[in-house]
Amino acid sequence: MSESSSVGRPARAADFLPRTRPVVPPIHHSVTYFLDDQAYKDIQDGGLVEHWYGRFRNPTVDMVAREIADLEGGGAGFMTSSGMGAIATTLLTLLRAGDRVVSARQVYGDTRDLLVRDLPAWGVDVRWVDAVDLDAWRREIAGGPTRVVYAETLSNPQLELTDLPALAELAHAAGARLVIDNTFATPYVVQPLRLGADVVVHSATKFLNGHSDAIAGVVVSDDAIVTEVQRRVITLGTSLGPYEAYLVWRGLQTFEVRMARQTETARSLATELGRRDDVLAVRHPSLPGYPRVDVATRVVRPGGGGGAMVTITVDGGDERAHDVVRNLQIGCEATSLGGVETLVSTPFNSSHFSLTPEERRAARIDDGMIRISCGLEPADALIADFGRALDLT
Ligand SMILES: *Cc1c(COP(=O)(O)O)cnc(C)c1O
């Protein structure tokens, strides 16, 4: 290599920036940025400099956060390394030793572990209530120095809608913040911030990305809370990389058309499966017999349908449920949700395997439940696939 070689010299890269603006945004992979006088001044003033170092901020990542904040109707957003990154960073931002969290019992398994194992070790008092029991919420929130009230919009796997306006009222009366995981519903179905929630967290890995090809999370709230979360992301290191952010951005370009189609498919599949004698129960918030129809009327966005998740209970228990899933040809037997492919799982051996059968019953997880995340396949083909698998078992 000659002494004058300029390979890798950043100044060369600047020569190749286009004069015309690209239609598709570039992925900014640079970890570091040329510092000018203003940047040094900002650093010395202790402010969060626009772009300085990649763990603090990245233009591609910021762009995606802004887009999701707009979908949720929030003032600001910040992306994190995963959905758990969003949840853990938010809780560690809002809570101090001695505070109380009141959480719905029906939360994502790793969120439960965070609340059961980690937060109590840091001096946080965690209380559990059934998500649909407003009297229990009222009792536990009023019973101590509650700082955070935590729930998911739609419970997994029962798809019970949480009464967000009522919960926001209880939380705010106690001076607590309402934090909502909106992963299952998505802002297509429910926009929690418009119903009184203070913070929305997401596993952007699911419907927001939509293609099962990136792990990411996001926190949406007002400017003050998001700035505090951003400071914690810096010290905890839960930042998102630009390539994952780009994949989420790519997915977001079709978010509304995917959700419209997948929601319609979910409604058709639920309606058809509800006609079968060997299907004991079908859950989807758009069905006429949905048990929490009063809550749905208050929380579902006009035109939001009921989302792309359907949960059914088959006659024959978990063993038959598993056989049905094994016999699907279109539906994929896999964990996760929100992809363009239909993802199907049985709670007893996946999301809720660590619960005893008694604990599952107490959590209203029926013997024979199948959770379906409807994808973009033709609805007719998916309905036929489930019909065939049920007939075979
Ligand atoms: C998947 C999921 C999470 C965790 O998200 P990751 O991106 O896997 O960290 C949290 N909450 C809900 C409801 C989820 O489905």
Side-chain angles (χ1 to χ4, degrees), residues 81-87 107-111 150 152 154 156 181-184 201-206 214-217 336-337 371:
S81 51
S82 65
M84 284 316 300
I87 294 163
V107 291
Y108 182 70
D110 293 328
T111 305
Y150 188 93
E152 298 181 0
L154 264 181
N156 171 27
D181 180 336
N182 200 28
T183 302
F184 267 55
V201 290
H202 271 279
S203 169
T205 311
K206 315 293 170 53
I215 298 274
S336 197
L337 58 134
R371 188 187 87 182

Coordinates of all heavy atoms in Angstrom, one line a residue, residues 81-87 107-111 150 152 154 156 181-184 201-206 214-217 336-337 371, ligand 1:
S81 N -33.0 -1.2 21.6 CA -32.5 -2.4 21.0 C -33.5 -3.6 20.9 O -33.2 -4.5 20.1 CB -31.3 -2.9 21.9 OG -31.8 -3.0 23.3
S82 N -34.6 -3.5 21.6 CA -35.6 -4.6 21.6 C -36.8 -4.1 22.3 O -36.8 -3.0 23.0 CB -35.1 -5.9 22.3 OG -34.9 -5.6 23.6
G83 N -37.9 -4.9 22.3 CA -39.1 -4.5 23.0 C -38.8 -4.5 24.5 O -39.1 -3.7 25.3
M84 N -38.0 -5.6 25.0 CA -37.6 -5.6 26.4 C -36.7 -4.4 26.7 O -36.7 -3.9 27.9 CB -36.9 -7.0 26.7 CG -37.8 -8.2 26.8 SD -39.3 -7.9 27.8 CE -38.6 -7.4 29.4
G85 N -35.9 -4.0 25.8 CA -35.1 -2.8 26.0 C -35.9 -1.6 26.3 O -35.6 -0.8 27.1
A86 N -37.1 -1.5 25.5 CA -38.0 -0.4 25.7 C -38.6 -0.4 27.1 O -38.7 0.5 27.8 CB -39.0 -0.4 24.6
I87 N -39.1 -1.6 27.5 CA -39.8 -1.8 28.7 C -38.9 -1.6 29.9 O -39.2 -0.9 30.9 CB -40.5 -3.2 28.8 CG1 -41.5 -3.3 27.7 CG2 -41.0 -3.6 30.1 CD1 -42.0 -4.8 27.3
V107 N -49.2 -10.3 31.5 CA -48.2 -9.5 30.7 C -47.2 -10.5 30.0 O -47.1 -11.7 30.5 CB -47.4 -8.5 31.5 CG1 -48.3 -7.3 32.0 CG2 -46.7 -9.1 32.7
Y108 N -46.5 -10.0 29.0 CA -45.5 -10.8 28.3 C -44.5 -11.5 29.3 O -44.2 -10.9 30.3 CB -44.8 -9.8 27.4 CG -43.7 -10.5 26.5 CD1 -44.1 -11.3 25.5 CD2 -42.4 -10.2 26.7 CE1 -43.1 -11.9 24.7 CE2 -41.4 -10.8 25.9 CZ -41.8 -11.6 24.9 OH -40.8 -12.2 24.1
G109 N -44.2 -12.7 29.0 CA -43.4 -13.5 29.9 C -42.1 -12.9 30.4 O -41.8 -12.9 31.7
D110 N -41.3 -12.3 29.6 CA -40.1 -11.6 30.0 C -40.3 -10.4 30.8 O -39.5 -10.0 31.7 CB -39.1 -11.4 28.8 CG -38.7 -12.7 28.2 OD1 -38.5 -13.7 29.0 OD2 -38.5 -12.8 27.0
T111 N -41.4 -9.7 30.5 CA -41.8 -8.5 31.3 C -42.1 -9.0 32.7 O -41.8 -8.4 33.7 CB -43.1 -7.8 30.7 OG1 -42.8 -7.5 29.4 CG2 -43.5 -6.6 31.5
Y150 N -48.9 -0.5 35.1 CA -48.4 -1.2 33.9 C -49.4 -2.2 33.3 O -49.9 -3.1 34.1 CB -47.1 -1.9 34.2 CG -46.4 -2.4 32.9 CD1 -45.5 -1.6 32.2 CD2 -46.7 -3.6 32.4 CE1 -44.9 -2.1 31.1 CE2 -46.2 -4.1 31.2 CZ -45.2 -3.3 30.6 OH -44.7 -3.8 29.4
E152 N -50.9 -4.3 29.3 CA -50.9 -4.4 27.9 C -52.3 -4.1 27.3 O -53.3 -4.4 28.0 CB -50.4 -5.8 27.5 CG -49.0 -6.1 28.0 CD -48.4 -7.5 27.7 OE1 -49.1 -8.3 27.0 OE2 -47.3 -7.7 28.1
L154 N -54.0 -5.4 24.8 CA -54.7 -6.7 24.5 C -53.9 -7.8 25.2 O -52.7 -8.0 25.0 CB -54.7 -7.0 23.1 CG -55.8 -6.6 22.1 CD1 -55.5 -7.1 20.7 CD2 -57.1 -7.2 22.6
N156 N -52.4 -11.5 26.3 CA -51.9 -12.6 25.6 C -52.1 -13.9 26.4 O -51.6 -13.9 27.6 CB -50.4 -12.4 25.3 CG -49.7 -13.6 24.8 OD1 -50.3 -14.5 24.1 ND2 -48.4 -13.8 25.1
D181 N -48.1 -1.4 27.1 CA -47.4 -2.1 26.0 C -48.5 -2.3 24.9 O -49.5 -3.1 25.2 CB -46.9 -3.5 26.6 CG -46.2 -4.4 25.5 OD1 -46.5 -4.2 24.3 OD2 -45.4 -5.2 25.9
N182 N -48.3 -1.7 23.8 CA -49.3 -1.7 22.7 C -48.9 -2.6 21.6 O -49.4 -2.5 20.5 CB -49.5 -0.3 22.2 CG -50.8 -0.1 21.5 OD1 -51.8 -0.8 21.8 ND2 -50.9 0.8 20.6
T183 N -48.1 -3.6 21.9 CA -47.5 -4.5 20.8 C -48.6 -5.3 20.1 O -48.6 -5.4 18.9 CB -46.5 -5.5 21.4 OG1 -45.5 -4.7 22.0 CG2 -45.9 -6.4 20.3
F184 N -49.5 -5.9 20.9 CA -50.5 -6.8 20.3 C -51.6 -6.0 19.5 O -52.0 -6.5 18.4 CB -51.2 -7.6 21.3 CG -50.6 -9.0 21.6 CD1 -49.3 -9.1 21.9 CD2 -51.4 -10.2 21.5 CE1 -48.7 -10.3 22.2 CE2 -50.8 -11.4 21.7 CZ -49.5 -11.5 22.1
V201 N -45.1 1.6 25.1 CA -43.9 0.9 24.7 C -44.3 -0.2 23.7 O -45.5 -0.6 23.7 CB -43.2 0.2 25.9 CG1 -42.5 1.2 26.8 CG2 -44.2 -0.7 26.7
H202 N -43.4 -0.6 22.8 CA -43.7 -1.6 21.8 C -42.5 -2.5 21.7 O -41.3 -2.1 21.7 CB -43.8 -0.9 20.4 CG -45.1 -0.5 20.1 ND1 -46.1 -1.3 19.6 CD2 -45.7 0.8 20.1 CE1 -47.2 -0.6 19.3 NE2 -46.9 0.6 19.7
S203 N -42.8 -3.8 21.3 CA -41.8 -4.6 20.6 C -42.0 -4.3 19.1 O -43.0 -4.8 18.5 CB -42.1 -6.1 20.9 OG -41.3 -6.8 20.0
A204 N -41.2 -3.4 18.6 CA -41.3 -3.1 17.1 C -40.9 -4.3 16.3 O -41.1 -4.3 15.1 CB -40.4 -1.9 16.8
T205 N -40.4 -5.3 16.9 CA -40.1 -6.6 16.3 C -41.4 -7.2 15.6 O -41.3 -8.0 14.7 CB -39.6 -7.6 17.4 OG1 -38.6 -7.0 18.2 CG2 -39.1 -8.9 16.8
K206 N -42.5 -6.9 16.1 CA -43.8 -7.5 15.7 C -44.4 -6.8 14.6 O -43.9 -6.6 13.5 CB -44.7 -7.7 17.0 CG -43.9 -8.2 18.2 CD -43.4 -9.6 18.1 CE -42.5 -10.1 19.2 NZ -42.9 -9.9 20.6
A214 N -36.2 -8.3 12.2 CA -35.4 -7.3 13.0 C -36.0 -7.3 14.4 O -37.2 -7.3 14.6 CB -35.5 -5.9 12.4
I215 N -35.1 -7.3 15.4 CA -35.5 -7.1 16.8 C -35.3 -5.6 17.1 O -34.3 -5.0 16.9 CB -34.6 -7.9 17.7 CG1 -34.6 -9.4 17.4 CG2 -34.8 -7.6 19.2 CD1 -35.7 -10.2 18.1
A216 N -36.4 -5.0 17.6 CA -36.3 -3.5 17.9 C -37.4 -3.2 18.9 O -38.4 -3.9 19.0 CB -36.5 -2.7 16.7
G217 N -37.3 -2.1 19.6 CA -38.3 -1.6 20.5 C -38.4 -0.1 20.4 O -37.6 0.6 19.7
S336 N -43.4 -15.7 18.3 CA -43.5 -14.3 17.8 C -44.9 -14.1 17.1 O -45.7 -15.0 17.1 CB -42.4 -14.0 16.9 OG -42.3 -12.6 16.7
L337 N -45.0 -12.9 16.6 CA -46.3 -12.5 16.0 C -46.0 -11.3 15.1 O -45.0 -10.7 15.1 CB -47.3 -12.2 17.1 CG -46.9 -11.1 18.1 CD1 -48.1 -10.1 18.3 CD2 -46.5 -11.7 19.4
R371 N -53.1 -19.7 19.6 CA -52.9 -18.3 19.3 C -52.5 -18.1 17.8 O -51.5 -18.8 17.4 CB -51.9 -17.7 20.2 CG -51.8 -16.2 20.2 CD -50.7 -15.7 21.0 NE -49.4 -15.7 20.2 CZ -48.3 -15.3 20.7 NH1 -48.2 -14.9 22.0 NH2 -47.2 -15.3 20.0
Ligands
LIG1 C1 -42.4 -9.8 21.9 C2 -43.0 -8.9 22.9 C3 -42.2 -8.2 23.8 C4 -40.7 -8.3 23.8 O1 -40.2 -7.7 22.6 P1 -38.7 -8.1 22.0 O2 -38.6 -7.2 20.8 O3 -38.7 -9.6 21.8 O4 -37.7 -7.7 23.1 C5 -42.8 -7.4 24.8 N1 -44.1 -7.4 24.9 C6 -44.9 -8.1 24.0 C7 -46.4 -7.9 24.2 C8 -44.4 -8.9 23.1 O5 -45.2 -9.6 22.2

